[in-house]
Amino acid sequence: MAVALRCFRHLPSLLCRSSFAMRRGLPQAPAACPALLLDGCRQSVHQMQLTRQLATKKAKGKGQSQARVNISAALVEDIINLEETNEDMQAVVEALKEDFSRNLSVRTSPGVLDHIIVVTKDGKFPLNQLGQISQKSPQLIIVNMTNFPESTAAATKAIRESGMNLNPEVDGTLIRVPVPKVTREHRESLAKLAKQSTNKSKEALRKVRSKSVNQVKKFKSKVSEDTIWLLEKQIQQMADSAAAEMDKLLAAKTKELLG
């Protein structure tokens, strides 16, 4: 009993110094303090930190449409990995950026055909693994299928159905791909495709957000409502940031396509 009383006498000082816990770590407990009481102190400090963050953000948010939340990932690592969530969202943004670069350009080059998927009897393969692609002139791309002549028909079909407005012509094991002149109609068609790709990416982003929020909600019975609110707010902010980045990519691509 005497040991417990000595430990409780140290509790106020531990809690008072909780504002420094982020920078300096938790205070050292007295040597005689039982592990159970020490765990209780740590949980109290942890909760005070999150509650203080919530109170601060709500106070700052009065009269404002948005209140920024920035939770230390280390404080909630047992609930959710915020860094992993952010990486998943950024991966969706990077995939959209790559799609824009590879498939939505008014400047046709051999590289735009590289990753067209060809369906053969042996499986699915990128076109550049089956044929040698080269550009003979600004208006003509050649795909040499000498190494896999049996896949010439499948490659031709894949190019025609790629959605790139290409009409390939077969000459033995050579596939000639005339490059159409860039018309205003074609530019507008590409701009619509860019919008569609962005919407699909935003849907993928929402799935990442929903998955993360559901992960947080699993801990409703174990942590406070304030903690859940903070985490959901943080996840939404990361999703909003990624969506804003997508909008900027779309605006830049639309400007490039339409001139």
Side-chain angles (χ1 to χ4, degrees):
M1 179 61 114
V3 171
L5 289 174
R6 284 199 299 274
C7 290
F8 275 114
R9 282 200 297 271
H10 288 281
L11 182 57
S13 63
L14 286 172
L15 297 179
C16 288
R17 286 181 286 172
S18 66
S19 61
F20 299 98
M22 287 278 227
R23 296 194 301 266
R24 304 179 181 176
L26 291 172
Q28 294 295 320
C33 187
L36 184 59
L37 283 175
L38 178 58
D39 288 341
C41 291
R42 283 176 173 153
Q43 292 175 9
S44 297
V45 171
H46 172 81
Q47 185 56 47
M48 286 181 67
Q49 290 168 349
L50 288 173
T51 302
R52 181 177 288 107
Q53 287 181 2
L54 176 62
T56 301
K57 303 308 175 185
K58 284 185 175 179
K60 288 182 178 179
K62 289 181 179 179
Q64 301 177 9
S65 59
Q66 291 291 332
R68 298 297 298 175
V69 176
N70 187 19
I71 304 173
S72 170
L75 287 176
V76 293
E77 60 184 0
D78 292 337
I79 301 175
I80 189 172
N81 188 328
L82 289 175
E83 292 181 357
E84 185 176 295
T85 297
N86 189 55
E87 288 174 0
D88 289 344
M89 291 183 178
Q90 286 304 308
V92 178
V93 176
E94 289 302 316
L96 177 64
K97 188 183 299 184
E98 184 177 353
D99 180 48
F100 280 179
S101 176
R102 178 185 300 168
N103 301 321
L104 299 175
S105 176
V106 293
R107 299 179 182 85
T108 305
S109 65
V112 301
L113 303 183
D114 284 353
H115 301 285
I116 290 178
I117 299 300
V118 181
V119 180
T120 72
K121 62 180 182 180
D122 297 318
K124 298 179 180 180
F125 303 92
L127 180 60
N128 63 351
Q129 290 186 12
L130 300 176
Q132 297 177 339
I133 306 172
S134 60
Q135 186 155 8
K136 293 300 181 181
S137 71
Q139 283 74 45
L140 182 63
I141 296 176
I142 298 293
V143 183
N144 189 333
M145 298 294 295
T146 302
N147 292 332
F148 296 93
E150 69 280 5
S151 299
T152 301
T156 303
K157 180 181 178 182
I159 295 171
R160 183 176 292 112
E161 297 178 355
S162 65
M164 299 171 65
N165 193 32
L166 300 174
N167 187 26
E169 303 168 354
V170 179
D171 181 10
T173 57
L174 295 181
I175 303 175
R176 300 180 183 275
V177 186
V179 178
K181 291 182 178 180
V182 180
T183 63
R184 184 66 184 179
E185 182 180 3
H186 181 56
R187 288 176 179 271
E188 291 176 352
S189 176
L190 290 177
K192 289 180 181 179
L193 288 175
K195 178 65 174 177
Q196 292 173 8
S197 295
T198 302
N199 289 338
K200 289 180 181 179
S201 294
K202 285 186 176 181
E203 180 61 31
L205 180 65
R206 285 190 286 271
K207 289 181 180 179
V208 174
R209 178 188 60 78
S210 297
K211 179 181 177 182
S212 299
V213 169
N214 289 336
Q215 172 66 21
V216 169
K217 287 181 177 179
K218 292 179 181 179
F219 288 81
K220 272 190 173 182
S221 61
K222 300 179 181 178
V223 298
S224 70
E225 292 182 4
D226 287 353
T227 302
I228 298 297
W229 185 90
L230 280 167
L231 285 170
E232 289 181 353
K233 186 74 173 178
Q234 178 88 351
I235 292 167
Q236 184 61 55
Q237 285 177 180
M238 290 190 292
D240 290 343
S241 178
E245 191 172 350
M246 289 181 184
D247 287 337
K248 289 181 180 179
L249 288 172
L250 175 61
K253 176 56 68 173
T254 301
K255 183 178 180 181
E256 173 194 324
L257 294 172
L258 298 181

